Amino acid sequence: MFYSIDLTVAWAFLLAFSVFVYVVLDGFDLGIGILYPFFRKKEDRDIMMNSVAPVWDGNETWLVLGGGGLFAAFPLAYAVIMPAVYPAIIAMLLALIFRGVAFEYRWRATSRLSKRAWDAAFIGGSVTAALAQGIILGAFLQGIEVEGRAYAGGWWDWLTPFSVLCGLAVVVGYAFLGACWLNMKLEGEIQHRVRIMARAFFVATLAGIIAVSVATPFLGAGYAARWFGWPQIALTAPVPLLIGGIALLLARSLFAHGRDIWPFLLALALFALCFLGLGVSIWPLAIPQEITIWEAAAPAKSQLFMFVGAIVLVPIILAYTGYAYWVFRGKLDPEKGYH
């Protein structure tokens, strides 16, 4: 039994890691698409897209790993979550596909009208994917109705004010990540504009974090007990305090002139702490208020077989991802694009 629990916990942390890496890597990528409407010049849009051209298509690897790992390691959770959020999942996948096509075809558009159409597709795909991801998170947190180890809710249960709030929070959060990435990669007048936008989206992101954090304990008694019960509060209190500290450092880095990398690194730290807070809220549940990770887990032998492959592949993925970012580090030269 201990052996099985050990593997189950290991898989839970591996999937959490995969989802977090996807969020931060594809988050700033989607954020650039969300910021696109604020830049009307073709030259500005070209350099914004070029800043992620060498790395954007590898970011979805982590989404595939997270989804495939959930299906393989926690089949019961997969079987319950997917029917509960099918419309949002389908919208997200279609948006990511459409966005990827727009990314490539925009460079090959010959007329002004077709280029505008692909720009609109890039913007729409980015916003829709980010909004859908936030709605999925909100639907997951608010609880999924389960009966007899199966989803027992309705087709529209995922669409609530709380899930929409989470969706909007993710959209502005990704826009903030994108602005911090562009601030790190660009120079000149466009960097100045991006930095101003980063400040605005930073405030919006903090508002989203506060709004979701305040609303979550009202979703169920379990959330309130985890955050405010004794002695749990002694362990959970540092999380909001650390978020406040990171927020102060972020504000200082955005308003002071220093190394352009710091806002982006601090934004990643802010997202990491929010992800930690999410873990505090739900651990060790695979379905909030319904199913634990051990109840949702696949047989121990199946988990072991897949885990051996995962511990070989994940370092390889990390290595080539890190190498790609290392090769294309530093400021982007507007005269030298990747397309």
Coordinates of all heavy atoms in Angstrom, one line a residue, residues 189-243:
E189 N 11.5 52.3 -28.3 CA 10.2 52.9 -28.1 C 9.1 51.8 -27.8 O 8.3 52.0 -26.9 CB 9.7 53.7 -29.3 CG 8.4 54.5 -29.1 CD 7.2 53.7 -29.6 OE1 7.4 52.7 -30.3 OE2 6.1 54.1 -29.1
I190 N 9.2 50.7 -28.5 CA 8.2 49.6 -28.2 C 8.4 49.0 -26.8 O 7.4 48.6 -26.1 CB 8.3 48.5 -29.3 CG1 7.2 47.5 -29.1 CG2 9.7 47.8 -29.3 CD1 7.1 46.5 -30.2
Q191 N 9.7 48.9 -26.3 CA 9.9 48.4 -25.0 C 9.3 49.4 -24.0 O 8.7 48.9 -23.0 CB 11.4 48.2 -24.7 CG 11.7 47.6 -23.3 CD 13.1 47.9 -22.8 OE1 13.8 48.7 -23.3 NE2 13.5 47.1 -21.9
H192 N 9.4 50.7 -24.2 CA 8.8 51.7 -23.3 C 7.3 51.5 -23.2 O 6.7 51.5 -22.1 CB 9.2 53.1 -23.8 CG 8.5 54.2 -23.0 ND1 8.9 54.4 -21.7 CD2 7.5 55.0 -23.3 CE1 8.2 55.4 -21.2 NE2 7.4 55.8 -22.1
R193 N 6.7 51.3 -24.3 CA 5.2 51.1 -24.4 C 4.8 49.8 -23.7 O 3.8 49.7 -22.9 CB 4.7 51.0 -25.8 CG 4.8 52.4 -26.5 CD 4.4 52.2 -28.0 NE 3.0 51.7 -28.1 CZ 2.5 51.3 -29.2 NH1 3.3 51.2 -30.3 NH2 1.3 50.8 -29.3
V194 N 5.6 48.7 -23.9 CA 5.3 47.4 -23.3 C 5.5 47.5 -21.7 O 4.7 47.0 -21.0 CB 6.3 46.4 -23.8 CG1 6.3 45.2 -22.9 CG2 5.8 45.9 -25.2
R195 N 6.4 48.3 -21.3 CA 6.7 48.4 -19.8 C 5.5 49.2 -19.2 O 5.1 48.8 -18.1 CB 8.0 49.2 -19.6 CG 8.5 49.0 -18.2 CD 9.9 49.8 -18.1 NE 10.5 49.5 -16.8 CZ 11.3 48.5 -16.6 NH1 11.6 47.6 -17.6 NH2 11.9 48.3 -15.4
I196 N 4.9 50.2 -19.9 CA 3.8 50.8 -19.3 C 2.6 49.9 -19.3 O 1.8 49.9 -18.3 CB 3.4 52.1 -20.2 CG1 4.5 53.1 -20.1 CG2 2.1 52.6 -19.8 CD1 4.3 54.3 -21.1
M197 N 2.4 49.1 -20.3 CA 1.3 48.1 -20.3 C 1.5 47.0 -19.2 O 0.6 46.6 -18.6 CB 1.2 47.4 -21.6 CG 0.7 48.2 -22.7 SD 0.5 47.3 -24.3 CE 0.0 48.7 -25.3
A198 N 2.8 46.6 -19.0 CA 3.1 45.7 -17.9 C 2.6 46.2 -16.5 O 2.1 45.4 -15.7 CB 4.6 45.4 -17.9
R199 N 2.8 47.5 -16.3 CA 2.4 48.1 -15.0 C 0.8 48.0 -14.9 O 0.3 47.6 -13.8 CB 2.8 49.6 -15.0 CG 4.3 49.7 -14.9 CD 4.7 51.2 -15.2 NE 6.1 51.4 -15.3 CZ 6.7 52.5 -15.7 NH1 6.0 53.5 -16.1 NH2 8.0 52.6 -15.8
A200 N 0.1 48.3 -16.0 CA -1.3 48.2 -15.9 C -1.8 46.8 -15.7 O -2.7 46.6 -14.9 CB -1.9 48.8 -17.2
F201 N -1.2 45.9 -16.5 CA -1.7 44.5 -16.3 C -1.2 43.9 -15.0 O -1.8 42.9 -14.5 CB -1.2 43.7 -17.5 CG -2.0 43.8 -18.7 CD1 -1.6 44.5 -19.9 CD2 -3.3 43.3 -18.8 CE1 -2.4 44.7 -21.0 CE2 -4.1 43.4 -19.9 CZ -3.7 44.1 -21.0
F202 N -0.1 44.4 -14.4 CA 0.3 44.0 -13.1 C -0.8 44.3 -12.1 O -1.2 43.4 -11.3 CB 1.6 44.7 -12.7 CG 2.0 44.5 -11.3 CD1 2.2 43.3 -10.7 CD2 2.1 45.6 -10.5 CE1 2.6 43.1 -9.4 CE2 2.5 45.5 -9.2 CZ 2.7 44.3 -8.6
V203 N -1.3 45.5 -12.1 CA -2.4 45.9 -11.2 C -3.6 45.0 -11.5 O -4.3 44.5 -10.5 CB -2.8 47.4 -11.4 CG1 -4.0 47.7 -10.6 CG2 -1.6 48.2 -11.0
A204 N -4.0 44.8 -12.7 CA -5.1 43.9 -13.1 C -4.9 42.5 -12.6 O -5.9 41.8 -12.1 CB -5.4 43.9 -14.6
T205 N -3.7 42.0 -12.7 CA -3.4 40.6 -12.3 C -3.5 40.5 -10.7 O -4.1 39.5 -10.2 CB -2.0 40.2 -12.7 OG1 -1.9 40.3 -14.1 CG2 -1.6 38.8 -12.2
L206 N -3.0 41.5 -10.0 CA -3.2 41.5 -8.6 C -4.6 41.5 -8.2 O -5.1 40.8 -7.2 CB -2.4 42.7 -8.0 CG -0.9 42.6 -7.8 CD1 -0.4 43.8 -7.1 CD2 -0.5 41.3 -7.0
A207 N -5.4 42.3 -8.9 CA -6.9 42.4 -8.6 C -7.5 41.0 -8.9 O -8.4 40.6 -8.1 CB -7.5 43.5 -9.5
G208 N -7.1 40.3 -9.9 CA -7.6 39.0 -10.2 C -7.2 38.0 -9.2 O -8.1 37.2 -8.7
I209 N -6.0 38.1 -8.7 CA -5.5 37.1 -7.6 C -6.3 37.3 -6.4 O -6.8 36.4 -5.7 CB -4.0 37.3 -7.4 CG1 -3.2 36.9 -8.6 CG2 -3.6 36.6 -6.1 CD1 -1.7 37.2 -8.5
I210 N -6.5 38.6 -6.0 CA -7.3 38.9 -4.8 C -8.7 38.5 -4.9 O -9.3 37.9 -4.0 CB -7.2 40.4 -4.5 CG1 -5.7 40.8 -4.1 CG2 -8.1 40.8 -3.3 CD1 -5.5 42.3 -4.0
A211 N -9.3 38.8 -6.0 CA -10.7 38.4 -6.2 C -11.0 36.9 -6.2 O -11.9 36.4 -5.5 CB -11.2 39.0 -7.6
V212 N -10.1 36.1 -6.9 CA -10.3 34.7 -6.8 C -10.0 34.1 -5.4 O -10.7 33.2 -5.0 CB -9.3 34.0 -7.9 CG1 -9.3 32.5 -7.8 CG2 -9.8 34.4 -9.3
S213 N -8.9 34.7 -4.8 CA -8.6 34.2 -3.4 C -9.7 34.5 -2.4 O -10.0 33.6 -1.5 CB -7.3 34.9 -3.0 OG -6.2 34.6 -3.9
V214 N -10.3 35.6 -2.5 CA -11.4 35.9 -1.6 C -12.7 35.1 -1.9 O -13.3 34.6 -1.0 CB -11.8 37.4 -1.7 CG1 -13.1 37.7 -1.0 CG2 -10.7 38.3 -1.2
A215 N -12.9 34.8 -3.2 CA -14.1 34.0 -3.5 C -14.0 32.5 -3.2 O -15.0 31.9 -2.9 CB -14.4 34.2 -5.0
T216 N -12.8 32.0 -3.3 CA -12.6 30.5 -3.2 C -13.0 29.9 -1.9 O -13.7 28.9 -1.9 CB -11.1 30.2 -3.5 OG1 -10.7 30.6 -4.8 CG2 -10.9 28.7 -3.3
P217 N -12.7 30.5 -0.7 CA -13.2 29.9 0.5 C -14.7 29.8 0.6 O -15.2 29.0 1.4 CB -12.7 30.9 1.6 CG -11.5 31.5 1.0 CD -11.9 31.7 -0.4
F218 N -15.5 30.6 -0.1 CA -16.9 30.6 -0.1 C -17.5 29.4 -0.9 O -18.7 29.2 -0.9 CB -17.5 31.9 -0.5 CG -17.2 33.0 0.4 CD1 -16.2 33.9 0.2 CD2 -18.0 33.2 1.6 CE1 -15.9 34.9 1.1 CE2 -17.7 34.2 2.5 CZ -16.6 35.1 2.2
L219 N -16.6 28.7 -1.7 CA -17.1 27.6 -2.5 C -17.4 26.4 -1.7 O -18.2 25.6 -2.2 CB -16.0 27.3 -3.6 CG -15.7 28.4 -4.6 CD1 -14.6 28.0 -5.5 CD2 -16.9 28.8 -5.4
G220 N -16.7 26.2 -0.6 CA -16.9 25.1 0.2 C -16.2 25.2 1.5 O -15.2 25.9 1.7
A221 N -16.8 24.5 2.6 CA -16.2 24.6 3.9 C -14.7 24.0 3.9 O -13.9 24.5 4.7 CB -17.0 23.8 4.9
G222 N -14.5 23.1 3.0 CA -13.1 22.5 3.0 C -12.0 23.5 2.7 O -11.0 23.5 3.3
Y223 N -12.3 24.5 1.8 CA -11.3 25.5 1.4 C -11.1 26.4 2.6 O -9.9 26.7 2.9 CB -11.8 26.3 0.2 CG -11.9 25.6 -1.1 CD1 -13.0 25.6 -1.8 CD2 -10.8 24.8 -1.5 CE1 -13.1 24.9 -3.1 CE2 -10.8 24.2 -2.7 CZ -12.0 24.2 -3.5 OH -12.0 23.5 -4.7
A224 N -12.1 26.8 3.3 CA -12.0 27.7 4.4 C -11.2 27.1 5.5 O -10.3 27.7 6.2 CB -13.3 28.2 4.9
A225 N -11.5 25.8 5.8 CA -10.8 25.0 6.8 C -9.3 24.9 6.5 O -8.4 25.0 7.4 CB -11.4 23.7 7.0
R226 N -9.0 24.7 5.2 CA -7.6 24.5 4.9 C -6.8 25.8 5.1 O -5.6 25.8 5.4 CB -7.4 24.1 3.4 CG -7.9 22.7 3.1 CD -8.0 22.4 1.6 NE -8.6 21.1 1.4 CZ -7.9 20.0 1.4 NH1 -6.6 20.0 1.6 NH2 -8.5 18.8 1.1
W227 N -7.4 26.9 4.8 CA -6.7 28.2 4.8 C -6.7 28.9 6.2 O -5.8 29.5 6.6 CB -7.2 29.2 3.8 CG -6.7 28.9 2.4 CD1 -7.3 28.1 1.4 CD2 -5.4 29.2 1.9 NE1 -6.5 28.1 0.3 CE2 -5.3 28.7 0.6 CE3 -4.3 30.0 2.4 CZ2 -4.2 28.9 -0.2 CZ3 -3.2 30.1 1.6 CH2 -3.1 29.6 0.3
F228 N -7.8 28.7 6.9 CA -8.0 29.5 8.1 C -8.1 28.7 9.4 O -8.2 29.2 10.5 CB -9.3 30.4 8.0 CG -9.2 31.2 6.8 CD1 -10.2 31.1 5.8 CD2 -8.3 32.2 6.6 CE1 -10.1 31.9 4.6 CE2 -8.2 33.0 5.5 CZ -9.2 32.8 4.5
G229 N -8.2 27.3 9.3 CA -8.3 26.5 10.5 C -6.9 26.4 11.1 O -5.9 26.6 10.6
W230 N -7.0 26.0 12.4 CA -5.8 25.8 13.2 C -5.5 24.4 13.3 O -6.4 23.6 13.5 CB -5.9 26.5 14.6 CG -4.6 26.4 15.4 CD1 -4.3 25.4 16.4 CD2 -3.4 27.2 15.3 NE1 -3.1 25.6 16.9 CE2 -2.5 26.7 16.2 CE3 -3.1 28.2 14.5 CZ2 -1.2 27.2 16.3 CZ3 -1.8 28.8 14.6 CH2 -0.9 28.3 15.6
P231 N -4.2 23.9 13.1 CA -3.0 24.7 12.9 C -2.6 24.9 11.5 O -1.5 25.3 11.2 CB -2.0 23.7 13.6 CG -2.5 22.4 13.3 CD -4.0 22.4 13.3
Q232 N -3.5 24.6 10.5 CA -3.2 24.8 9.1 C -2.8 26.2 8.8 O -1.9 26.4 7.9 CB -4.4 24.4 8.2 CG -4.7 22.9 8.3 CD -5.8 22.6 9.4 OE1 -5.8 23.3 10.4 NE2 -6.6 21.7 9.1
I233 N -3.4 27.2 9.4 CA -3.1 28.6 9.1 C -1.6 28.9 9.3 O -1.0 29.8 8.7 CB -4.0 29.5 9.9 CG1 -3.9 30.9 9.3 CG2 -3.7 29.5 11.4 CD1 -4.9 31.9 9.9
A234 N -1.0 28.2 10.2 CA 0.5 28.5 10.5 C 1.3 28.1 9.3 O 2.4 28.7 9.0 CB 0.9 27.7 11.7
L235 N 0.8 27.1 8.5 CA 1.5 26.7 7.3 C 1.1 27.5 6.0 O 1.9 27.7 5.1 CB 1.3 25.2 7.0 CG 1.8 24.3 8.1 CD1 1.4 22.9 7.8 CD2 3.4 24.4 8.3
T236 N -0.2 27.9 6.0 CA -0.7 28.6 4.8 C -0.5 30.1 4.8 O -0.4 30.7 3.8 CB -2.2 28.3 4.7 OG1 -2.9 28.8 5.9 CG2 -2.5 26.8 4.5
A237 N -0.3 30.7 6.0 CA -0.2 32.2 6.1 C 1.0 32.7 5.3 O 0.9 33.8 4.7 CB -0.1 32.6 7.6
P238 N 2.1 32.0 5.3 CA 3.3 32.5 4.5 C 3.0 32.7 3.0 O 3.7 33.5 2.4 CB 4.4 31.5 4.7 CG 4.0 30.8 6.0 CD 2.5 30.8 6.1
V239 N 2.1 32.0 2.5 CA 1.8 32.1 1.0 C 1.3 33.4 0.6 O 1.9 34.1 -0.2 CB 0.8 31.0 0.5 CG1 0.5 31.1 -1.0 CG2 1.4 29.6 0.8
P240 N 0.2 34.0 1.2 CA -0.2 35.3 0.9 C 0.9 36.4 1.2 O 1.0 37.4 0.6 CB -1.5 35.5 1.6 CG -1.5 34.5 2.7 CD -0.7 33.3 2.1
L241 N 1.6 36.1 2.3 CA 2.6 37.1 2.7 C 3.8 37.1 1.7 O 4.2 38.2 1.3 CB 3.2 36.7 4.1 CG 2.3 36.9 5.3 CD1 2.9 36.4 6.5 CD2 1.8 38.3 5.4
L242 N 4.1 36.0 1.2 CA 5.2 35.9 0.1 C 4.6 36.6 -1.2 O 5.4 37.2 -1.9 CB 5.6 34.5 -0.1 CG 6.4 33.8 0.9 CD1 6.6 32.3 0.7 CD2 7.8 34.5 1.0
I243 N 3.4 36.3 -1.5 CA 2.8 37.0 -2.7 C 2.9 38.5 -2.6 O 3.2 39.2 -3.5 CB 1.3 36.5 -2.9 CG1 1.3 35.0 -3.4 CG2 0.6 37.4 -3.9 CD1 0.0 34.4 -3.5

